[in-house]
Amino acid sequence: MSRFVEVIRTGPLALLQDLGRPGYAAVGVGRSGAADRASFTLANRLVGNQPEVGAIEITLGGFALGTNAPIIVALTGAPAPAEVSGRSVPHNSPVYLRAGQVLTLGFAPVGLRTYLAIAGGFDVPPVLGSVATDTMSGLGPAPLAPGRVLKLGHLPVEPGSIDVAPVAPLGEGPVTLRVLRGPRDEWLDDYSRLGKTRWTASSQSDRVGVRLEGQPLDRAPEYADRELQSEGVVRGSIQVPGSGLPVLFLADHPVTGGYPVAGVIRDADTDRLAQVRPGQQIRFQLED
Amino acid sequence: MPDQGIPGARLLRCGELGILVEVTDLDQVLALNDLVTGLIAQGHGAWHRVVDVVPAARTLLVTTSSSTAVPALRTDLAALLRAQAVQGNLTIRGGRGPGATTVEIPVHYDGPDLEDVAELTGLTVDEVVAAHTGRPWRVAFGGFAPGFAYLVDGDPRLNVPRRSSPRTVVPSGAVGLAGPFSGIYPRPSPGGWQLIGHTDLALWETDRTPPALLQPGFFVRFVVAGEA
């Protein structure tokens, strides 16, 4: 009999993710992969998987799955309260489920994305070497839906490496992200205003990008009527379109963009950006 | 200050992991892309840490897996730009190299905007088809969707604006025009290009290696389907 888990509920969005598809940008395929890579790789480490093994990315919580086999799972990222057959189970720690048990997640009080890794991974056919669902290009498996059966994988597991991981808790307060200047900072009238403005993450945010609300940034007069020819962009790019309200690129960002990128968020800080909820404040610490 | 190599070329920082090389035209981008992909294939020094190279109209983005590789790559890229400026090689690409791949694409010229394109260009429908098939196009860069390629160097009379309102769904295989570019939609997507026909060729197949039919630097010859 094959070992599998069955998705019972998904909440707003649940996707398979790994570390994505590096190396295909020139043909229009973005990297995609886990939005919060630090939490994703931690979940894998907790169950003894290699760090890049596919896991489930759950937005806001509200997820449940059953299993027909004994499994070891770990939950990381946004602390959605979790129960196994009615008994509360911890975050950032391996959890054991017996065959027939059900794991349910409530809604996370802080943070945005919870990662659920299972020891041995999932047996899902990769697309271009990855099981990540790219919401921009449509590559990879379909978003998870109730009734979806996922066969369990047999990838090598090295148990016992860590039991509980110390993780800085996510909060509700302003999140400060470090920013490196450029490449197109000269298109802004006053680059320093990016760092002085209190920005708020808009509800129009997803895996492609986090849109900000706040006092719009002005273009430098010499660039006011110019159009940038599309150019390659990276995760963490702070793109400033004509509206003057920045868009912060996340995992499923387009490969190229036609608006100037004034600065780029430090790579490690883009994982914290992926946990910012709509309505939460964002501040930029401008480095030179 | 940015490293100066050829006039107008700049190396711009793109976060901890990226370098955006800005040059003055597409020929320079494609020549640089050839040189850079060659260095990556050889894998010398910091070049084995390169993750992606993204050519665009005026820029080449190079991204790495580690910020420690960036200073060495900057040095190499600056040297590359200087050496090429001395030798003048960055403009060679305008001609067709002997080894360039040419892909023939049969097109049914039955697009919904064919009449509009004729009107916009002052040509007859037959003349639009003759212009589109009359000379090879060159694959400049991708980026809009998996397998999509911006084609350049076509007949300049076919330079038409995008539609004033984009279509919500353009079918897979649709052949379009926009500004100096021609392109083929690899899968159904929204789009504002003027559609002049369609092809039955698969532009993108994930289980093919490489999955994209058209690679930067390739030449494309459109032919009228059934007359090839």
Side-chain angles (χ1 to χ4, degrees), chain B:
Chain B
M1 280 309 291
D3 307 271
Q4 292 296 328
I6 51 178
R10 295 195 294 168
L11 297 181
L12 302 169
R13 180 168 67 181
C14 200
E16 294 160 274
L17 302 174
I19 303 167
L20 187 69
V21 188
E22 184 182 67
V23 290
T24 56
D25 63 32
L26 180 63
D27 284 337
Q28 292 181 354
V29 171
L30 293 180
L32 195 60
N33 186 50
D34 278 358
L35 292 167
V36 163
T37 46
L39 287 168
I40 293 166
Q42 292 165 26
H44 288 310
W47 289 95
H48 75 280
R49 310 296 283 276
V50 171
V51 175
D52 268 305
V53 177
V54 188
R58 295 271 296 279
T59 56
L60 189 76
L61 173 68
V62 179
T63 66
T64 70
S65 56
S66 165
S67 58
T68 58
V70 172
L73 291 174
R74 274 190 81 100
T75 305
D76 284 4
L77 283 166
L80 212 55
L81 290 174
R82 270 194 301 273
Q84 293 301 310
V86 171
Q87 295 164 21
N89 287 353
L90 272 189
T91 50
I92 280 178
R93 192 49 181 270
R96 297 181 62 183
T101 305
T102 299
V103 180
E104 194 165 278
I105 298 186
V107 176
H108 302 271
Y109 286 92
D110 55 3
D113 301 323
L114 191 55
E115 301 272 352
D116 286 353
V117 168
E119 194 162 316
L120 285 163
T121 55
L123 302 172
T124 66
V125 164
D126 285 348
E127 286 168 341
V128 169
V129 173
H132 197 244
T133 55
R135 66 167 84 177
W137 295 74
R138 181 169 48 138
V139 180
F141 49 89
F144 161 73
F148 188 88
Y150 289 83
L151 307 177
V152 294
D153 294 351
D155 192 313
R157 292 175 298 168
L158 296 178
N159 192 321
V160 290
R162 285 159 199 256
R163 286 167 49 85
S164 50
S165 72
R167 290 189 168 83
T168 50
V169 182
V170 172
S172 162
V175 177
L177 294 168
F181 302 112
S182 187
I184 306 160
Y185 287 80
R187 65 186 194 108
S189 52
W193 291 36
Q194 307 272 3
L195 305 182
I196 59 172
H198 77 274
T199 180
D200 298 323
L201 277 191
L203 274 289
W204 176 262
E205 286 182 302
T206 51
D207 50 7
R208 178 170 66 193
T209 306
L213 179 67
L214 305 180
Q215 307 283 328
F218 280 18
F219 288 86
V220 169
R221 186 174 277 285
F222 291 106
V223 296
V224 177
E227 291 183 10

Side-chain angles (χ1 to χ4, degrees), chain A residues 22-29 127-128 136-139 180-184 186 229-234 255-256 264 266-267 288, chain B residues 10 12-17 20 22 51-59 61 63 142-143 145-147 187 204 206 211-212 215-216:
Chain A
Y24 292 98
V27 290
V29 176
V127 175
L128 300 180
M136 180 85 184
S137 71
L139 288 185
L180 294 174
R181 189 172 181 134
R184 300 290 177 193
E186 70 220 29
Q229 301 213 50
S230 288
E231 61 190 21
V233 292
V234 297
V255 170
T256 57
V264 179
R266 275 199 180 271
D267 194 51
D288 239 2
Chain B
R10 295 195 294 168
L12 302 169
R13 180 168 67 181
C14 200
E16 294 160 274
L17 302 174
L20 187 69
E22 184 182 67
V51 175
D52 268 305
V53 177
V54 188
R58 295 271 296 279
T59 56
L61 173 68
T63 66
R187 65 186 194 108
W204 176 262
T206 51
Q215 307 283 328

